[in-house]
């Protein structure tokens, strides 16, 4: 299976259409705008993911005139490509296995194509619920690709919105695999559009997205091998957690290869060959993992063949095409938009939150940052301090979430 075979399902397309249509038809308080018109707002939020939705709703509730711009499905990564589909698929597989221990007739297996239909239905429900909640709060939802053209202006198609404050909440996308043939690998975004599963899969990466996908797909019957760059899984988690997960994955039949560096991907008769360098190649460890601390110091080039490959080697902030460089807004060494303790960029009127800045990249963090910022800009809590874990510097001293 290649990533081109993975197509969005009809349900997903119609869900997106449904939320798009509802949003465009409803323009609270102001009626429909002519294309090319200029409009005024207090707050333009770019990106209707966890952070943008939270900030927009809170600001509107506080009386600000808010325009929220989204180019894709409402809800961002969490609803469409992250937490929600992942949890539904994971719980489905686990519960089916648990039930089979109690009720013999269940067969103990969850069917992927059935599960994806339910995931899409839940996404559609959430799209509608989010749209309604935004409408209730008085947020104006605008569909399209936003570019910041001045410190107080955002362009969306032919429309220009002039605003006192602009918020960048554009999230991040999976990083491409930087080796020849890297484009053959799918990403976590693609998996939730799969109608059927490959028989075998190579997962490249050892961070939490890689571990979760390997765990979920192996429970749906896919034969999974993981190529991990470091000598253990989850480098930002406690050793005990990483070791327990390695053991659990191995028990599910996932083959783990540590200390590897992928060098090349090749298409081979409907399959994909993933070539990698195994550093300090040696005996298998007790839990069946290859290349742990048991190596003899020599590198070896190896190949693993599977029907599909998944690259889960980190995520890059959505920054391209936003026009921020021209305004002098900088990025950090890790790639996130540079902000101060108040989540403000170098341009005083422009702030940034969520996965597009450095820090802890989780839904509750993006949401808390959005609400905190809205309170600070439009509410009475102008002097409130943001929690330490919502600070972009929270992980400054820790390794980046890159290729683990
Ligand atoms: C596979 C996976 C599993 C995850 N699981 C969990 C979990 O279990 N728990 C948890 O807390 N977190 C989880 N996360 C992380 C969580 O999804 C993110 O931290 C969170 O969604 C970030 O929110 P955000 O608002 O910063 O960005 P996003 O939710 O990514 O939203 C950004 C939005 O901006 C839009 N956009 C981008 N550029 C433009 C533009 N120029 N114009 C208009 N719109 C634009 C995008 O289309 C997108 O909708 C997971 C992530 C992944 C990838």
């Amino acid at each position: 299976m290649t990533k081109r075979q993975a197509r969005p399902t009809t349900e997903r397309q119609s869900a997106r259409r449904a939320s798009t249509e509802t949003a465009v038809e409803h323009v609270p308080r102001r009626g429909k705008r002519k294309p090319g018109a200029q409009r005024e707002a207090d707050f333009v939020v770019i990106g209707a993911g966890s952070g943008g939705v939270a900030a927009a709703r809170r600001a509107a509730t506080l009386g600000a005139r808010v325009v929220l711009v989204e180019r894709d499905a409402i809800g961002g990564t969490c609803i469409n490509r992250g937490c929600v589909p992942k949890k539904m698929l994971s719980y489905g597989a686990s519960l089916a296995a648990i039930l089979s221990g109690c009720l013999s007739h269940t067969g103990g297996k969850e069917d992927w194509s059935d599960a994806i239909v339910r995931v899409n239905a839940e996404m559609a429900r959430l799209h509608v619920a989010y749209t309604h909640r935004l409408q209730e709060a008085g947020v104006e939802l605008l569909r399209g690709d936003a570019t910041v053209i001045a410190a107080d202006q955002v362009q969306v198609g032919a429309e220009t919105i002039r605003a006192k404050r602009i918020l960048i909440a554009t999230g991040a996308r999976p990083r491409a695999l930087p080796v020849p043939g890297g484009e053959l690998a799918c990403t976590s975004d693609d998996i939730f559009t799969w109608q059927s599963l490959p028989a075998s899969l190579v997962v490249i990466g050892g961070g939490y997205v890689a571990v979760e996908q390997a765990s979920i797909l192996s429970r749906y019957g896919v034969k999974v091998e993981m190529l991990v760059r470091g000598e253990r899984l989850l480098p930002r988690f406690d050793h005990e957690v990483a070791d327990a997960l390695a053991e659990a994955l191995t028990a599910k039949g996932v083959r783990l290869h540590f200390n590897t560096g992928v060098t090349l991907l090749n298409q081979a008769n409907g399959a994909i060959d993933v070539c990698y360098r195994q550093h300090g190649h040696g005996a298998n460890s007790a839990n069946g993992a290859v290349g742990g601390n048991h190596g003899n110091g020599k590198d070896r080039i190896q190949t693993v063949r599977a029907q599909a490959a998944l690259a889960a080697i980190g995520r890059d902030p959505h920054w391209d095409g936003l026009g921020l460089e021209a305004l002098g807004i900088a990025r950090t060494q890790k790639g996130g938009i540079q902000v101060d303790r108040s989540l403000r960029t170098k341009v005083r009127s422009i702030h940034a939150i969520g996965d597009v800045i450095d820090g802890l990249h989780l839904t509750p963090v993006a949401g808390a940052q959005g609400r905190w910022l809205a309170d600070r800009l439009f509410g009475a809590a102008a002097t409130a301090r943001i929690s330490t874990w919502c600070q972009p510097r929270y992980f400054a001293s820790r390794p980046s979430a890159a290729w683990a």
Side-chain angles (χ1 to χ4, degrees), residues 58-116:
R58 179 64 65 93
T61 309
L62 291 168
R65 291 169 305 159
V66 184
V67 176
L68 174 59
V69 190
E70 174 55 59
R71 66 180 177 194
D72 196 351
I74 196 162
T77 303
C78 179
I79 302 292
N80 302 289
R81 302 173 288 278
C83 335
V84 170
K86 165 194 92 182
K87 285 185 175 125
M88 287 186 73
L89 292 167
S90 177
Y91 293 160
S94 298
L95 289 172
I98 291 168
L99 278 177
S100 75
C102 316
L103 308 167
S104 54
H105 65 271
T106 63
K109 281 239 182 296
E110 166 74 317
D111 180 73
W112 177 266
S113 47
D114 280 358
I116 285 291

Side-chain angles (χ1 to χ4, degrees), residues 47 49-51 70 76-77 86-87 145-146 169 171 208 355 361-364:
S50 310
E70 174 55 59
T77 303
K86 165 194 92 182
K87 285 185 175 125
D145 224 316
Y208 86 86
D355 284 9
H361 290 164
L362 292 168
T363 284

Side-chain angles (χ1 to χ4, degrees), residues 174-211:
R175 185 170 305 154
L177 189 62
V179 299
E183 71 284 354
L184 294 171
C186 308
T187 68
S188 61
D189 286 0
D190 300 313
I191 285 185
F192 303 122
T193 70
W194 281 356
Q195 296 289 291
S196 58
L197 290 177
S200 54
L201 176 76
V202 179
V203 176
I204 303 161
Y208 86 86
V209 172
V211 168

Side-chain angles (χ1 to χ4, degrees), residues 41-378:
D42 297 314
F43 196 32
V44 175
V45 179
I46 305 177
S50 310
V53 165
R57 276 189 72 206
R58 179 64 65 93
T61 309
L62 291 168
R65 291 169 305 159
V66 184
V67 176
L68 174 59
V69 190
E70 174 55 59
R71 66 180 177 194
D72 196 351
I74 196 162
T77 303
C78 179
I79 302 292
N80 302 289
R81 302 173 288 278
C83 335
V84 170
K86 165 194 92 182
K87 285 185 175 125
M88 287 186 73
L89 292 167
S90 177
Y91 293 160
S94 298
L95 289 172
I98 291 168
L99 278 177
S100 75
C102 316
L103 308 167
S104 54
H105 65 271
T106 63
K109 281 239 182 296
E110 166 74 317
D111 180 73
W112 177 266
S113 47
D114 280 358
I116 285 291
V117 170
R118 284 193 293 279
V119 166
N120 284 320
E122 177 59 7
M123 280 186 208
R125 189 189 71 77
L126 289 170
H127 291 157
V128 172
Y130 268 56
T131 307
H132 283 163
R133 269 192 241 155
L134 286 165
Q135 287 170 348
E136 268 168 23
V139 174
E140 208 170 324
L141 189 53
L142 188 61
R143 295 288 172 168
D145 224 316
T147 309
V148 185
I149 54 171
D152 63 346
Q153 281 182 54
V154 174
Q155 184 89 40
V156 184
E159 282 195 74
T160 307
I161 312 146
R162 190 180 284 274
K164 293 184 192 111
R165 308 274 184 194
I166 296 168
L167 177 61
I168 313 294
T170 48
R173 59 167 171 266
R175 185 170 305 154
L177 189 62
V179 299
E183 71 284 354
L184 294 171
C186 308
T187 68
S188 61
D189 286 0
D190 300 313
I191 285 185
F192 303 122
T193 70
W194 281 356
Q195 296 289 291
S196 58
L197 290 177
S200 54
L201 176 76
V202 179
V203 176
I204 303 161
Y208 86 86
V209 172
V211 168
E212 286 175 352
Q213 299 291 357
S215 161
I216 293 169
L217 292 168
S218 65
R219 281 180 283 149
Y220 281 89
V222 180
K223 190 171 158 267
V224 179
E225 300 214 23
M226 289 184 79
L227 300 180
V228 184
R229 193 163 74 164
E231 57 180 37
R232 69 179 191 107
L233 296 173
L234 303 175
R236 292 167 76 175
F237 289 68
D238 290 343
H239 265 282
E240 291 82 355
V241 174
D243 292 347
L245 278 168
E247 251 176 61
L249 284 170
T250 308
K252 290 270 171 240
V254 176
R255 290 204 73 208
L256 301 172
H257 305 267
F258 293 106
N259 294 317
T260 64
V262 172
T263 52
L264 175 74
L265 268 66
N266 258 329
Q267 197 115 47
N269 297 330
I272 296 176
D273 280 343
V274 181
C275 303
Y276 63 98
R277 192 180 291 277
Q278 174 88 61
H279 306 298
H281 177 85
N284 290 3
S285 69
N287 62 12
V290 180
N293 282 323
H294 306 267
N296 58 13
K298 289 188 187 144
D299 283 5
R300 235 169 82 169
I301 298 292
Q302 314 245 41
T303 301
V304 53
R305 177 170 290 186
Q307 269 198 331
L310 165 70
I313 59 169
R315 293 173 62 79
D316 292 322
H318 267 303
W319 149 281
D320 304 340
L322 281 168
L324 302 179
E325 271 156 324
L327 296 172
I329 293 176
R331 290 205 290 171
T332 67
Q333 272 188 339
K334 286 188 192 169
I337 293 177
Q338 200 166 21
V339 290
D340 64 13
R341 285 181 156 265
S342 307
L343 305 171
R344 188 180 358 224
T345 67
K346 284 199 167 165
V347 176
R348 286 188 68 78
S349 55
I350 304 180
H351 291 74
I353 58 166
D355 284 9
V356 79
I357 62 172
D358 293 343
L360 203 46
H361 290 164
L362 292 168
T363 284
V365 174
Q369 288 172 340
R371 285 184 291 275
W372 177 85
L373 184 66
D375 283 346
R376 194 175 164 91
L377 296 179
F378 302 104

